[in-house]
Amino acid sequence: MGTSDLKVSIVGLGTWQFSDSWGIKDYEQAKSIIEKALDVGINFFDTAAVYGRGLSEQFLGRAIKELGVREDVVIATKLPGEFLSRHDVFKGTKRCLERLGVSYIDLMQVHWPPLWNNFPTCEYMRALEELVHHGVIRYIGLSDFPVELVDSAILCLSTENVVSNQVRYNLVERDAEKELIPYAEAYGMSIIAWSPLAKGALTGKYTPENIPKFNDVRGGSAIFHPQNFSQIYEVVKLLKSIGEKYKKTPAQVALNWLLMSSESVIVIPGAKNPEQVEENAGAADWRMSFGNWLTLEEASSKVRISRVTW
Ligand SMILES: NC(=O)c1ccc[n+]([C@@H]2O[C@H](COP(=O)([O-])OP(=O)(O)OC[C@H]3O[C@@H](n4cnc5c(N)ncnc54)[C@H](OP(=O)(O)O)[C@@H]3O)[C@@H](O)[C@H]2O)c1
């Protein structure tokens, strides 16, 4: 991971799914997903204080403890942009440690920059650096930060570095390629790609005729709006046909494409069941041909997602 000594699987597990937003609220179900992730070689788990207001951290920490794998896994969590005054960075981190039931967090990320609270960048970055010195977090990461603010954040630090930026990146939402990925490559930072399956849109199970009425975080999502999904579906059809050649699923091809696009990229697909985790892990141990990569590059370049849906 970036310039750190953390060794992570390039396919990790996103655990926002353990929340009201995505619907997994049963601990045993969450544990079965985590257990399967470990079985198939995933050692990197992403959570956040806000996922289910702590539920995701609780489930993840409890499963890791019950399975006895704390030293074998890399835990990344996040403090929301509202928790970034100096004293709240300390208090918020203490709560994360308690919910996770651990004595240290491998990667603490700033979930998004402070928007309306006016905290100076150096206030929270220096507080995070102090937490590294106290040994309760090992490394500092950012999330949803533009490059200008990543620069400012790095300049606040004396002894530590920013090892990662977690940003939206999938085959049909590629804005990260414009600045964020080149910046990460230049400075040896990892890009942790969130929504790498475009919230399930790239898995092939949804069609323009069969977009369910989602009663989760996807209700009203721009990705599934007919004006956008009809374009996305053209890419899904290619994912299917390319996948047939390699005996891979559309989800595996979509993740493989991201991993081929930059060595700085790590993907953290979320999963609703153990089968999905196993399938997603199968994105990592092969490479599609350059020709197939280019076909997807060209097709996805034509997709123009608009968020002006009303
Ligand atoms: N930093 C940030 O601001 C931020 C924002 C968003 C997410 N994240 C992180 O990124 C992680 C992943 O992003 P995401 O959850 O938004 O979207 P995603 O990973 O693109 O999509 C996840 C959803 O796709 C479906 N799916 C996953 N694997 C599948 C497979 N193999 N076959 C069929 N369907 C499959 C599942 O939903 P269904 O089965 O219900 O379709 C799953 O809940 C989150 O868990 C979270 O850790 C971070």
Side-chain angles (χ1 to χ4, degrees):
M1 167 88 65
T3 49
S4 78
D5 66 357
L6 299 173
K7 294 261 180 278
V8 296
S9 49
I10 51 174
V11 178
L13 178 70
T15 65
W16 184 17
Q17 276 59 26
F18 310 155
S19 64
D20 274 333
S21 310
W22 281 94
I24 296 182
K25 290 180 285 180
D26 172 57
Y27 169 69
E28 291 304 329
Q29 201 182 348
K31 185 180 175 186
S32 69
I33 292 170
I34 293 165
E35 207 166 4
K36 176 57 80 177
L38 292 162
D39 277 356
V40 295
I42 290 173
N43 77 337
F44 179 48
F45 296 87
D46 178 73
T47 181
V50 297
Y51 295 165
R53 281 201 162 220
L55 190 73
S56 168
E57 288 182 324
Q58 280 167 12
F59 281 3
L60 179 63
R62 184 173 158 194
I64 283 170
K65 187 166 278 179
E66 286 178 9
L67 296 165
V69 292
R70 176 65 189 100
E71 297 310 314
D72 307 322
V73 298
V74 173
I75 300 177
T77 190
K78 314 184 194 81
L79 289 175
E82 286 75 52
F83 288 7
L84 296 179
S85 65
R86 178 180 154 82
H87 62 270
D88 272 353
V89 169
F90 296 152
K91 188 173 166 186
T93 300
K94 185 164 174 282
R95 296 253 167 103
C96 292
L97 289 163
E98 287 164 359
R99 283 189 295 265
L100 284 160
V102 296
S103 58
Y104 65 93
I105 288 158
D106 299 286
L107 179 68
M108 177 57 96
Q109 305 158 102
V110 179
H111 205 153
W112 56 82
L115 300 175
W116 43 81
N117 290 301
N118 310 316
F119 306 129
T121 307
C122 285
E123 176 168 331
Y124 57 87
M125 292 307 291
R126 288 200 185 119
L128 288 168
E129 192 166 54
E130 283 180 60
L131 290 172
V132 176
H133 298 161
H134 285 293
V136 290
I137 66 177
R138 292 190 63 205
Y139 292 100
I140 302 168
L142 300 172
S143 173
D144 304 322
F145 270 56
V147 291
E148 293 82 356
L149 206 44
V150 178
D151 254 348
S152 306
I154 291 171
L155 287 174
C156 298
L157 299 173
S158 313
T159 58
E160 299 307 309
N161 206 347
V162 170
V163 304
S164 57
N165 195 8
Q166 182 175 143
V167 299
R168 181 196 278 136
Y169 185 42
N170 62 58
L171 193 45
V172 290
E173 294 174 292
R174 294 174 45 195
D175 294 304
E177 292 172 4
K178 295 173 185 163
E179 293 183 326
L180 294 162
I181 292 177
Y183 182 100
E185 286 171 339
Y187 294 99
M189 197 176 278
S190 284
I191 287 287
I192 303 174
W194 63 255
S195 287
L197 294 170
K199 295 205 164 4
L202 296 174
T203 62
K205 67 185 175 191
Y206 302 118
T207 64
E209 298 73 39
N210 171 35
I211 300 174
K213 285 226 170 305
F214 293 112
N215 59 357
D216 60 23
V217 70
R218 293 171 287 193
S221 153
I223 283 282
F224 290 99
H225 189 281
Q227 76 181 11
N228 295 321
F229 192 73
S230 55
Q231 301 173 60
I232 292 172
Y233 197 63
E234 294 306 309
V235 176
V236 173
K237 285 193 252 175
L238 285 173
L239 289 170
K240 281 186 182 165
S241 65
I242 291 173
E244 277 164 20
K245 189 171 143 191
Y246 297 96
K247 298 196 171 34
K248 301 290 176 189
T249 65
Q252 290 171 328
V253 179
L255 296 174
N256 191 264
W257 189 92
L258 292 184
L259 294 172
M260 276 183 73
S261 297
S262 168
E263 288 196 354
S264 65
V265 170
I266 296 163
V267 296
I268 49 164
K272 292 292 234 1
N273 54 51
E275 292 73 29
Q276 289 182 355
V277 187
E278 186 163 17
E279 182 178 328
N280 297 340
D285 56 353
W286 62 286
R287 278 172 88 87
M288 74 185 84
S289 70
F290 173 70
N292 291 145
W293 180 88
L294 187 59
T295 301
L296 288 168
E297 203 290 325
E298 287 171 353
S300 70
S301 297
K302 293 187 193 128
V303 175
R304 183 174 291 217
I305 303 231
S306 171
R307 290 173 206 282
V308 185
T309 55
W310 51 271

